[in-house]
Amino acid sequence: FLQAINCHNVLVEGVTFVNGPMWTMHPVYCEDVLIRGVTVRSEGPNTDGLNPDSCRNVVVEDCSFATGDDCIAINSGMNEDGWRVGGPCENIVIRNCRVSEGHGGVAIGSGMSGGVRNVYVHDCSFMGGDQGIRLKSMRGRGGFVENVYFENIRMANLRREAIVLNMFYGSSTAA
C-alpha cells in the first residue's frame, strides 16, 4: 500500500491506514526510517501492518495495529533474491506499540534470507490476535537471526502461543 524503496530519512507519522490491499507499509532497502503514531486497521489475508525489508536503523514507536496478518514483520528478502542482495534488516527498535488483532504482534520472517540482527522490542502490548512473537523461516531459505531482545512485553487474550519459533514455515523452494 505504501512502499518506499532505496530511501533515506523516511518519516511516516500520525496517519491511519484502513484496509489496504496487502502489506500496508513496506520500506525496502531504506535507511533511517521512523514510523511514529501510526494506526493500521486491516482485514483479509496478507494484510500485514509494517514490513521493514532489508532496512537499516528503523524506529517504530507509539503505533497501533489490528491486522489480518502479522502486525510487524521484519524481513530481508526471500530465497535467491535475498541471497543475491545480501542486505540484512538491522538496528530495529520497536517501542510503545499496541496490537489488538493479527497473526503475530512482532514477527521475524518468513522472508529473511539476508538475515536479521539487532532488534530491540520493548514496552509493547499484544492484547489479542493469534500469537505474540513469531520467528519463522523454512528449510533452504537461509539467513540468520542474531541479537534479538524483547523486554517488558504484555500479552493477554491470545488465541494461540505467546512465542513461536518455526523453521518449517509454509512450503519451501528447497529440494
Side-chain angles (χ1 to χ4, degrees):
F1 194 66
L2 171 67
Q3 186 172 52
I5 302 173
N6 286 316
C7 296
H8 296 273
N9 302 316
V10 176
L11 171 64
V12 181
E13 183 174 25
V15 297
T16 297
F17 296 96
V18 178
N19 289 330
M22 197 176 147
W23 291 357
T24 304
M25 294 177 283
H26 185 213
V28 183
Y29 313 135
C30 293
E31 190 166 331
D32 301 320
V33 176
L34 175 57
I35 310 293
R36 178 189 296 142
V38 171
T39 298
V40 177
R41 292 189 314 260
S42 61
E43 297 178 18
N46 216 17
T47 54
D48 292 4
L50 171 63
N51 298 70
D53 193 338
S54 299
C55 292
R56 174 177 288 145
N57 306 329
V58 177
V59 174
V60 182
E61 61 185 6
D62 303 317
C63 294
S64 177
F65 296 92
T67 70
D69 205 332
D70 290 324
C71 293
I72 300 171
I74 301 167
N75 293 290
S76 64
M78 287 195 302
N79 305 335
E80 292 82 0
D81 189 55
W83 306 328
R84 180 186 56 78
V85 172
C89 204
E90 60 188 351
N91 309 330
I92 313 295
V93 174
I94 300 168
R95 61 182 168 224
N96 301 319
C97 290
R98 295 156 309 285
V99 169
S100 61
E101 190 56 54
H103 289 315
V106 172
I108 297 176
S110 73
M112 42 84 67
S113 296
V116 174
R117 72 165 65 101
N118 306 331
V119 177
Y120 181 39
V121 182
H122 67 94
D123 298 298
C124 293
S125 63
F126 306 149
M127 306 308 288
D130 289 338
Q131 300 166 324
I133 300 166
R134 301 175 79 191
L135 280 76
K136 53 186 180 170
S137 188
M138 58 184 62
R139 281 189 3 222
R141 181 150 284 174
F144 60 86
V145 176
E146 61 187 26
N147 302 323
V148 176
Y149 302 93
F150 288 86
E151 182 176 51
N152 195 26
I153 306 299
R154 184 170 175 227
M155 294 188 218
N157 302 319
L158 299 176
R159 288 184 291 276
R160 297 182 59 201
E161 304 87 356
I163 301 170
V164 175
L165 287 86
N166 183 353
M167 301 303 111
F168 293 97
Y169 182 77
S171 60
S172 177
T173 57

